[in-house]
């Protein structure tokens, strides 16, 4: 008896399944039994559809010789194992005598059926699981034997999507753009080499955070960053109000070449780490207290006075520290010109470093990547996974936005932001 909301097709299928279970004395006790029946149903449906494809190709049905207008004919079947969400199943693929028939429902090299299973594999890959881990996981949970090469082919399908994502149009103006690089080991031409993954993370004028780009290149260099800046320009970014960077030589010049009006803030935390790298543990506490008087000063004038006092006290023992702060002061001191809310946002690249830490959690199981593409695939999938949680904007964005509008009034004039 058909149920009220059943379509005619569903009602017929319900009746057919009831007869099938009854006539074959089949009882369903758990999910394994359901999967077994679903595999049988799927293989029957696929085989029937493939036979119809060959009928269409030859121009006549199996026993309709009177309408045969070709010298080609059927030539039995070949067995093919397909991976599905219900487990592995064998499908009989029809063949023709001349070898002209190319199945469309199941392509020549296709060995997976459902998009659902591919999404499971991509999800596991995004969580940092190796191809070996995924292979074992699929076997244990879904009774599917799937090879490393098949997993690689499935994940390779996202490479065109990654390229499209890297070239997507961007906002016209970004309030702040954080730029940093994270390093990995990749196998290249039989050698293990170090690769830099260049990452640009932007906050637009509505306070929304987004990863603007991610690129695999040689060891970090200002020249590569220049090409990324030009890429952002070509994708529609007309202006960046403030760029927050680490202490890489030539980085400010690379930004200024493309965005000459952009304010550049060098990360204070990076500067502190570099300054204290070789300080004796006996001196570190006192030295850090004196250095804090510099970077935590209320005004730039006070900070410069404290820096000179720092020089008088420590220059004889650690001369490189004062020299580094003095030589980089132009980009280290940018945040002093802004109110407290903006200072907290830009004086460190913590925003992008937090993102990098999440990427490292995903990639920690991979000491060496087999190729640049495999590295980019995992980082892109991880990025999509991480950024799903980025909703809304900072709680203090209203205050930050109004302050930025005051300080960048001329540059924002005429823009509908």
């Amino acid at each position: 008896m058909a149920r009220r909301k059943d379509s005619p097709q569903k009602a017929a299928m319900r009746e057919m399944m009831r007869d099938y279970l009854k006539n074959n004395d089949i009882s369903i006790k758990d999910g394994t039994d359901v999967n077994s029946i679903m595999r049988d149903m799927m293989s029957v449906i696929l085989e029937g559809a493939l036979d119809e494809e060959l009928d269409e190709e030859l121009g006549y049905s199996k026993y309709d010789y009177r309408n045969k207008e070709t010298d080609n004919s059927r030539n039995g079947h070949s067995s093919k194992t397909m991976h599905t969400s219900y487990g592995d199943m064998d499908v009989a693929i029809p063949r023709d005598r001349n070898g002209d028939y190319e199945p469309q429902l199941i392509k020549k090299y296709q060995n997976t059926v459902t998009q659902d299973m591919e999404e499971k594999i991509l999800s596991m890959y995004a969580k940092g699981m190796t191809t070996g881990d995924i292979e074992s996981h699929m076997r244990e949970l879904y009774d599917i034997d799937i090879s490393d090469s098949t997993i690689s082919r499935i994940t390779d399908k996202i490479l065109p999507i990654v390229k499209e994502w890297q070239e997507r149009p961007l906002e016209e103006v970004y309030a702040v753009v954080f730029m940093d690089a994270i390093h990995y080991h990749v196998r290249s031409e039989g050698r293990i080499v170090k690769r830099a993954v260049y990452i640009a993370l932007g906050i637009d004028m509505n306070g929304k955070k987004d990863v603007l780009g991610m690129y695999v290149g040689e060891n970090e260099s200002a020249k590569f960053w220049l090409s990324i800046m030009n890429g952002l320009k070509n994708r529609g970014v007309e202006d960046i109000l403030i760029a927050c960077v680490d202490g890489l030589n030539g980085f400010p010049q690379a930004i200024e070449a493309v965005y000459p009006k952009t304010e550049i803030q060098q990360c204070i935390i990076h500067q502190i780490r570099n300054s204290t790298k070789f300080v004796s543990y006996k001196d570190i506490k006192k030295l850090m207290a004196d250095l804090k008087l510099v970077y935590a000063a209320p005004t730039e004038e006070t900070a410069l006075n404290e820096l000179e006092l720092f020089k008088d006290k420590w220059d004889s023992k650690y001369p490189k520290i004062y020299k580094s702060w003095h030589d980089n002061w132009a980009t280290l001191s940018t945040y002093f010109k802004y109110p407290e809310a903006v200072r907290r946002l830009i004086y460190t690249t913590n925003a992008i470093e937090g993102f990098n830490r999440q990427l490292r959690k995903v990639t920690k199981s991979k000491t060496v990547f087999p190729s640049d593409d495999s590295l980019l695939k995992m980082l892109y999938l991880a990025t999509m996974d991480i950024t799903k949680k980025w909703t809304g904007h900072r709680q203090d964005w209203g205050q930050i936005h109004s302050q930025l509008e005051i300080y960048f009034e001329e540059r924002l004039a005429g823009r509908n932001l």
Side-chain angles (χ1 to χ4, degrees), residues 136-400:
S136 175
H137 190 76
M138 296 299 285
R139 187 183 302 113
E140 290 175 6
L141 289 188
Y142 303 106
D143 193 26
I144 296 172
D145 287 316
I146 190 165
S147 66
D148 287 1
S149 58
T150 300
I151 294 170
S152 294
R153 282 199 298 272
I154 290 172
T155 56
D156 279 346
K157 291 181 181 181
I158 69 160
L159 286 173
I161 299 172
V162 177
K163 185 176 181 181
E164 184 180 339
W165 175 77
Q166 287 176 323
E167 297 173 354
R168 74 194 189 282
L170 297 174
E171 297 290 329
E172 186 179 341
V173 178
Y174 283 89
V176 184
V177 173
F178 300 90
M179 286 171 270
D180 198 6
I182 185 171
H183 298 87
Y184 293 96
H185 288 100
V186 175
R187 197 175 300 280
S188 175
E189 298 178 352
R191 297 184 302 115
I192 295 176
V193 298
K194 201 171 186 179
R195 288 282 192 258
V197 179
Y198 297 76
I199 302 170
L201 188 153
I203 299 178
D204 65 19
M205 294 305 294
N206 294 315
K208 185 179 178 182
K209 185 168 60 171
D210 189 22
V211 179
L212 308 185
M214 183 183 294
Y215 314 88
V216 178
E218 303 294 333
N219 282 340
E220 190 176 8
S221 68
K223 184 178 180 181
F224 200 99
W225 275 117
L226 176 61
S227 69
I228 291 174
M229 293 296 103
N230 282 313
L232 295 179
K233 187 87 170 180
N234 292 335
R235 291 164 62 195
V237 181
E238 293 296 326
D239 198 2
I240 296 171
L241 302 186
I242 305 170
C244 300
V245 301
D246 60 17
L248 179 70
N249 287 335
F251 208 162
Q253 291 78 10
I255 298 171
E256 289 167 1
V258 182
Y259 297 103
K261 294 182 179 180
T262 296
E263 297 273 7
I264 298 171
Q265 173 62 56
Q266 187 173 325
C267 178
I268 297 297
I269 303 301
H270 275 84
Q271 179 68 16
I272 292 170
R273 287 176 191 158
N274 294 333
S275 299
T276 57
K277 195 179 295 183
F278 302 109
V279 174
S280 168
Y281 75 93
K282 294 179 181 179
D283 297 328
I284 190 68
K285 192 172 182 179
K286 292 179 181 178
L287 185 141
M288 279 299 299
D290 292 337
L291 201 55
K292 187 175 182 179
L293 295 175
V294 178
Y295 65 80
T299 65
E300 184 177 1
E301 183 181 2
T302 304
L304 283 170
N305 289 334
E306 293 294 344
L307 185 60
E308 291 304 315
L309 292 173
F310 181 91
K311 177 187 177 184
D312 295 340
K313 185 174 180 179
W314 295 102
D315 213 41
S316 59
K317 198 168 186 179
Y318 303 109
K320 290 184 179 179
I321 297 180
Y322 170 82
K323 185 178 187 309
S324 177
W325 282 78
H326 181 269
D327 292 349
N328 293 299
W329 189 254
T331 52
L332 285 171
S333 61
T334 302
Y335 70 106
F336 282 115
K337 69 175 70 174
Y338 300 108
E340 184 63 26
V342 179
R343 287 192 192 189
R344 287 197 304 268
L345 176 64
I346 69 172
Y347 89 101
T348 175
T349 55
N350 272 353
I352 196 168
E353 289 203 3
F355 173 68
N356 288 348
R357 279 194 297 273
Q358 290 178 286
L359 291 181
R360 286 192 184 97
K361 284 182 182 178
V362 172
T363 57
K364 64 182 178 182
S365 62
K366 301 278 285 187
T367 53
V368 178
F369 285 85
S371 67
D372 289 354
D373 281 348
S374 67
L375 171 59
L376 189 58
K377 283 189 299 185
M378 181 169 282
L379 291 179
Y380 169 77
L381 288 169
T383 296
M384 295 301 103
D385 207 35
I386 293 166
T387 54
K388 283 178 186 175
K389 302 167 188 173
W390 292 359
T391 56
H393 50 71
R394 290 172 60 105
Q395 290 183 343
D396 59 351
W397 186 253
Q399 184 182 2
I400 292 173

